Amino acid sequence: MLEVRDLEVAFGPVAPLSGVSFSLAKGEKLGIVGESGSGKSLTAMSVMGLLPLSGGRITGGSIVFDGQELTTLAESAYRKLRGRRLGLITQNPMTSLDPLQKIGPQVDAVAVLHLSMNASEARTRTVEILGTLRIPEPALICDRYPHQMSGGMKQRIVIAMALAADPDVLVADEPTTALDVTVQAQIIRLLDDLVKERDLALVLITHDMSVVAQTCDKVVVMYAGRAIEYGPVEAIFDAPQHPYTQALINCIPKGLSTDEHLSGISGTVPTVSNYPKGCAFHPRCDRAKNICTSERPAFITYGNNAAACHFAGDDR
Amino acid sequence: MTNLLEVRNLSKKFVTPGGPFRKARAMHAVNDVSFDLAKGRVIGVVGESGCGKSTLARLILRLIEPSAGELRFEGEDLRAKTSSQMRKLRADMQMVFQDPYSAIDPRYTVARAVMEPFVVQGRSPEGSVDKEVASLLTMVGLNAGLASSFPHQISGGQKQRVGIARALALRPSLLVLDEPTASLDVSVQAQIISLLEQLRDDLGLTYLFISHDLSLVRYFCDEILVMYLGRVVEALPDTDLPARHPYTKTLMDSTFTPDPKQRRVIAPLEGEVPSPFNLPPGCAFADRCPYTTAICRTETPILTSGTTHPVACHHPL
């Protein structure tokens, strides 16, 4: 359904994204994880064709959606895809709804624009979709303003807008980061059900390894603008090949054993203008050797995973 | 073990004034909360947004005036203090705020931010100011060279370290930590938590740790208070104890574990936290609880010790 190959993105002279590849079939859930600044959201924006808005452009690689190359697609053609076959759920439900417009018209607009429905058909559809998202009294909700609703409810409205035109691919950029744990569990469960019911392909972007563990089929781990590990979720957690992947997993408290120790990852994510030479992770890596400071590791397949580390596959 | 902090029946009622077109409304943000915090211990307070945990933190430092109840800090009655006496006492009880982006004045350098408590207290550090700044920054794992930086020049994790350094400037014995890692990446969260662990051991600090993340609280704290709509519904003296309140159980079940083989079918809590205005009689959790019976809708359960630990539920698990 969606295939991304060696994607590269540049903003003027800086290249925040240099090498992301993954593929996604219908009914599959792919997680993209990494810290802030690792290029997760940029990847999502590239797929949605929203880079020009912020002044970026794709300088290499390809994005193929259902047999169609997206990197060279004209904006007018992209408009027909975006919101129609490619749905986006943004990070902050508090800011992705128009505060001056009632909920109903905001969701209706999608069906009016993409499915050429008239106002009353669109409203019927809106009420139906809100209902499937387990929003109580959907008809009444249409007359409410965003400020009258809780964060979890607003996130459901944003999901409803993304689903209104029956997309094939849903890109969810940190959909639960701003929410409470109980609401997070509701939203994740909802996304899970939607993928099953509608045979969607889901791209879930998060910094939280436990969300990935509970939801996804495949994982891309990103660091400093590159995918550094890619594989099925069980393999990633069972035998992570990249030290960064292991470190991200170790950041999550399991909560039960008292002897566990949270170490965190020392140092900070490098900024785009000073990505380190060689392996970008080497200044923070406790396994780094000389080769890591000079040579950029290639992506090598090991077992079910592929990792960009000079020592991938070594016994731990 | 002596108690550093004793809280008895603490309550806070916010009243919104009425006007020609609306009635005055009252909201119990914190309702009848009691607990003891022993020296050197870490108590975690968990609950969803709006359950009153941040209000509780502010009440303890009397940043908000309590409506009722008692507060004792090192045996002294805090509620009897005047505001100037309270200001002096606060040198010994400091707070770290949730959002490091707004907790530090953007026009202040890091050095001025960590020295601010001395200005407020009208004191000066024992050694030179530069030395004090350097030692505080080193204490929280920051490079002393950052002293002349402005907040916008440093990362979120570094800002939170500055927030912690500022709270430690006057060498307090109690730190109230209000979701200190909620706005940070998981990797930075782990760094901050291990810093807090180390500071506790080095300086003998006592923490009140507010969080919505139950697995983090279970990892970091010695005891847990679970809050729901202003009340403590369960007090776990040990973090390994199983949940007895259905709400605590739900919180535990909603927490994701980083293990794809332990993927659970989450039965998420349906519905949302009811409005704290005009709470229905009985248990506030009754509408969302699978074990609700008639008594839950009429009588408010009180926190009572059962076989293991205190829980406020008519049908504990």
Side-chain angles (χ1 to χ4, degrees), chain A residues 199-211:
Chain A
D199 210 17
L200 285 170
L202 176 72
V203 179
L204 181 70
I205 294 175
T206 173
H207 66 270
D208 189 338
M209 272 295 202
S210 56
V211 171

Side-chain angles (χ1 to χ4, degrees), chain A residues 110-154:
Chain A
V110 181
V112 172
L113 183 68
H114 287 294
L115 306 178
S116 321
M117 287 186 173
N118 65 35
S120 68
E121 287 168 348
R123 179 54 57 90
T124 314
R125 190 176 165 81
T126 297
V127 171
E128 186 189 303
I129 290 171
L130 295 183
T132 61
L133 297 184
R134 301 187 207 112
I135 294 173
E137 304 184 82
L140 283 179
I141 291 283
C142 288
D143 277 327
R144 295 255 179 93
Y145 286 97
H147 72 265
Q148 295 170 304
M149 316 175 88
S150 67
M153 216 36 101
K154 273 188 254 190

Side-chain angles (χ1 to χ4, degrees), chain B residues 40-55:
Chain B
R41 296 279 281 180
V42 180
I43 287 194
V45 181
V46 279
E48 290 172 275
S49 334
C51 73
K53 46 191 200 306
S54 291
T55 307

Side-chain angles (χ1 to χ4, degrees), chain B:
Chain B
M1 223 167 8
T2 48
N3 288 331
L4 188 66
L5 181 72
E6 290 173 7
V7 177
R8 289 286 170 279
N9 311 103
L10 193 67
S11 295
K12 176 66 193 178
K13 194 156 96 175
F14 289 104
V15 180
T16 59
F21 300 111
R22 64 171 178 200
K23 274 195 265 178
R25 298 199 297 174
M27 170 191 152
H28 270 99
V30 170
N31 207 337
D32 204 16
V33 170
S34 304
F35 65 92
D36 291 332
L37 178 52
K39 254 190 188 121
R41 296 279 281 180
V42 180
I43 287 194
V45 181
V46 279
E48 290 172 275
S49 334
C51 73
K53 46 191 200 306
S54 291
T55 307
L56 177 66
R58 283 163 175 76
L59 286 176
I60 286 167
L61 278 91
R62 267 188 68 199
L63 298 173
I64 301 175
E65 214 47 53
S67 313
E70 284 171 47
L71 271 175
R72 288 184 179 280
F73 180 73
E74 290 189 316
E76 292 194 68
D77 182 2
L78 290 187
R79 292 201 63 197
K81 303 285 174 199
T82 63
S83 62
S84 62
Q85 286 171 323
M86 199 58 219
R87 174 167 290 186
K88 280 221 173 64
L89 265 173
R90 277 195 207 107
D92 219 16
M93 42 201 303
Q94 287 280 310
M95 184 149 172
V96 175
F97 295 92
Q98 174 167 7
D99 183 4
Y101 296 84
S102 57
I104 301 167
D105 192 320
R107 297 165 304 171
Y108 280 19
T109 59
V110 166
R112 192 170 164 200
V114 299
M115 282 295 117
E116 202 182 356
F118 287 101
V119 178
V120 171
Q121 295 284 344
R123 284 205 239 159
S124 44
E126 276 171 30
S128 76
V129 169
D130 289 348
K131 235 177 162 175
E132 183 66 25
V133 169
S135 91
L136 282 168
L137 293 184
T138 317
M139 195 189 283
V140 296
L142 286 175
N143 188 329
L146 285 178
S148 55
S149 311
F150 285 93
H152 70 265
Q153 296 170 311
I154 60 180
S155 71
Q158 287 173 325
K159 270 188 259 223
Q160 194 55 288
R161 284 174 196 261
V162 172
I164 295 170
R166 182 177 63 182
L168 292 174
L170 301 169
R171 303 295 186 272
S173 48
L174 172 69
L175 270 196
V176 176
L177 305 153
D178 186 8
E179 304 235 28
T181 61
S183 55
L184 305 172
D185 253 351
V186 279
S187 57
V188 184
Q189 162 171 296
Q191 286 175 18
I192 297 289
I193 292 296
S194 75
L195 171 69
L196 290 171
E197 281 176 324
Q198 179 215 324
L199 289 171
R200 168 167 83 140
D201 295 344
D202 294 352
L203 307 173
L205 291 167
T206 306
Y207 294 144
L208 184 74
F209 183 79
I210 314 257
S211 176
H212 66 271
D213 184 343
L214 187 61
S215 53
L216 187 64
V217 166
R218 288 177 108 184
Y219 167 76
F220 182 60
C221 301
D222 303 315
E223 297 171 39
I224 304 178
L225 299 175
V226 182
M227 283 186 77
Y228 190 74
L229 275 171
R231 285 179 187 273
V232 173
V233 296
E234 184 159 8
L236 295 136
D238 195 321
T239 54
D240 287 340
L241 288 170
R244 295 188 63 217
H245 197 286
Y247 178 63
T248 314
K249 178 85 170 64
T250 321
L251 274 186
M252 285 182 181
D253 290 347
S254 304
T255 309
F256 291 155
T257 47
D259 183 353
K261 271 173 287 185
Q262 284 183 35
R263 209 174 264 200
R264 37 168 99 104
V265 186
I266 316 155
L269 197 54
E270 288 307 327
E272 307 207 343
V273 183
S275 158
F277 293 101
N278 310 320
L279 276 182
C283 175
F285 189 58
D287 278 344
R288 307 171 78 188
C289 180
Y291 309 100
T292 301
T293 56
I295 186 173
C296 303
R297 303 206 181 265
T298 52
E299 265 178 59
T300 307
I302 41 171
L303 200 65
T304 38
S305 299
T307 44
T308 50
H309 59 269
V311 59
C313 180
H314 293 300
H315 312 290
L317 303 171

